[in-house]
Amino acid sequence: KKTLLLRSPLLSQSLLAPRPSTFQNRAPPMAKSPKATTSRRPTRKRRASPAAVPSSADIEDLAPSGVLAGPTSAAPALRSGLLRWYDAHRRDLPWRFSAAPGREGREKRAYAVWVSEVMLQQTRVPVVIDYYSRWMARWPTVETLAAATQEEVNEMWAGLGYYRRARFLLEGAKQIAEKGEFPSTASTLRQVRGIGDYTAGAIASIAFSEVTPLVDGNVVRVISRLFAIADNPKESSTVKRFWELAGQLVDPSRPGDFNQAMMELGATLCSKTKPDCSQCPVSSHCQALALSHENPLVGVTDYPRVVPKAKPRRDFAAVCVVQIAQGLEQETAAGKCNFFLLIKRPEEGLLAGLWEFPSVLVDERKTDPLNRRKEMDRYLKQLVDIDVEQESNLILREDVGQHVHIFSHIRLTMHVELMVLKIKGDVGQACNKGQDSTKLKLVDESSIDSMGLTSGIRKVYNMVKAFKEKKLLEQSQMPTKKRSRRQKQ
């Protein structure tokens, strides 16, 4: 098992002996490999199973405050080797550009670093490039972003997930614009809404050349392997150790480039499952690699330790795509003169402030159509004040199917139905009679196609579109007499 620790004196002497290429003067005592064993009767010590941690936790949530990190003389060979490799092999990314001279140029670079680093949390680089380019074209400065609305920002962010990042970006931009100056140190950056230790370290070192570390998932992987750290990488004591080591390693003359080089190494050569150690510029300093050469039971990929994620909560929801029809029946069937009802989610919590189709959570034991429709009718009556039976002609109500959407901590099964109504009287007036008309709106089909919906709601809408197209196709293929008889019914 990976959780076994070796207590062999032989291993202690042969594998853990100081090597000229390692930083025995700077690194804490190297942790023994969790997979190591001996040829004789080994003394096995079983580690307690690590507690599951929420999969939604990110480096901003885990980073300790007040880690002291300044310029040191440690590891000059590693620094120079890593920076030479970075200069030759770094990827050409739109947010990597040289700042223009002066305060204005540095602040422009700081804003670019901020936006890119926030987008890159939990998201792959190829996906971020397009989002970043569109974002900067619309809001090229922190002042232009501060003038945006939350709805505009949400629409631009749609599809990236983890929407609290977008909310924090807007709130932080308003805070900076109000003060009139972009913070230039890690300590002052941490006072901005949504900026934690990692983002503060990135902005301060890259844009303002402050000698300060940063630690993200890639840096954790690199440091875990350099120092063979087998401890739980999510525990606060281990996280603090990562930050201390990163602070000792950061290059005092090129802190921003060094931090980017550490992240670049972890994102490319020092990957999770297939590290390319033969091409790594710091492989001669890597204690995990040295252990793997000495013991075939030890692998570089044993570091960092894999921590089991908390099992996601299972939720169930009834989702009703309410289509309100106006005009002739032929226009309704063709999708003309139709409006869709959207509800705005609460300003706090999951998907805060985003628009969705009417949805209500239901008990797993009551996901049958009858119970789901009872709950949905009650919800529509309460929020929108539309009585499905009394105030409308029900043209169609059918189940469309299920869609399972995975959040970081929730597995949500959505039972989707389509309801086509023809409201008696004025549609807008009927919708404005609810509890809070600012939390709902009617949009036509062309508008909903271009809206910035979440990926889950977009999937639901596409399911309904496919269902309607199939329905129309079936009706068009039905003999004329049968079709007219069915319409009369």
Side-chain angles (χ1 to χ4, degrees), residues 347-366:
E347 295 299 334
E348 297 293 333
L350 185 68
L351 304 177
L354 299 176
W355 293 94
E356 66 180 5
F357 298 113
S359 305
V360 59
L361 290 175
V362 294
D363 189 277
E364 183 178 5
R365 297 164 296 181
K366 295 184 178 181

Side-chain angles (χ1 to χ4, degrees), residues 252-450:
S253 58
R254 297 176 61 187
D257 286 341
F258 181 84
N259 285 336
Q260 290 181 93
M262 288 284 282
M263 293 189 289
E264 187 84 347
L265 183 64
T268 55
L269 298 182
C270 197
S271 63
K272 285 184 181 180
T273 57
K274 295 181 178 180
D276 190 354
C277 299
S278 63
Q279 299 298 317
C280 178
V282 294
S283 60
S284 61
H285 306 284
C286 182
Q287 295 189 24
L289 181 61
L291 282 170
S292 70
H293 288 162
E294 295 284 350
N295 191 327
L297 297 179
V298 178
V300 171
T301 55
D302 294 335
Y303 303 90
R305 187 205 298 186
V306 177
V307 181
K309 295 181 179 180
K311 199 171 183 179
R313 187 178 78 229
R314 289 163 52 89
D315 282 353
F316 301 85
V319 180
C320 186
V321 178
V322 179
Q323 178 180 321
I324 298 176
Q326 293 180 308
L328 301 175
E329 188 170 345
Q330 298 92 325
E331 293 175 326
T332 298
K336 299 177 181 178
C337 302
N338 293 329
F339 293 91
F340 292 90
L341 178 65
L342 294 179
I343 310 294
K344 192 175 186 181
R345 291 183 62 86
E347 295 299 334
E348 297 293 333
L350 185 68
L351 304 177
L354 299 176
W355 293 94
E356 66 180 5
F357 298 113
S359 305
V360 59
L361 290 175
V362 294
D363 189 277
E364 183 178 5
R365 297 164 296 181
K366 295 184 178 181
T367 56
D368 58 281
L370 180 61
N371 278 301
R372 283 190 282 112
R373 290 183 179 184
K374 281 183 180 179
E375 290 294 326
M376 182 56 64
D377 289 350
R378 187 180 299 115
Y379 177 68
L380 290 173
K381 175 64 178 173
Q382 173 188 356
L383 186 65
V384 193
D385 200 23
I386 292 180
D387 192 319
V388 175
E389 296 180 357
Q390 301 298 323
E391 297 182 358
S392 62
N393 292 324
L394 182 59
I395 299 174
L396 176 78
R397 188 171 194 177
E398 289 193 34
D399 283 347
V400 174
Q402 295 182 21
H403 172 60
V404 177
H405 191 74
I406 307 297
F407 297 93
S408 58
H409 57 297
I410 298 172
R411 184 182 189 274
L412 178 64
T413 301
M414 294 184 279
H415 297 266
V416 183
E417 67 170 332
L418 170 64
M419 180 192 293
V420 183
L421 299 174
K422 194 164 186 179
I423 301 294
K424 298 174 183 178
D426 183 76
V427 176
Q429 185 178 0
C431 290
N432 286 333
K433 292 190 300 183
Q435 292 182 351
D436 188 353
S437 59
T438 63
K439 293 183 178 179
L440 58 93
K441 65 180 177 180
L442 295 170
V443 296
D444 59 28
E445 197 152 359
S446 61
S447 298
I448 206 168
D449 280 331
S450 60

Side-chain angles (χ1 to χ4, degrees), residues 5-10 36-45:
L5 287 178
L6 180 68
R7 298 298 183 189
S8 166
L10 178 62
T37 186
T38 59
S39 59
R40 297 188 180 183
R41 297 171 60 186
T43 301
R44 295 189 176 187
K45 183 174 180 180

Side-chain angles (χ1 to χ4, degrees), residues 30 119 161 168 251 362 383 430:
M30 185 178 69
M119 286 185 173
F168 287 162
D251 189 276
V362 294
L383 186 65

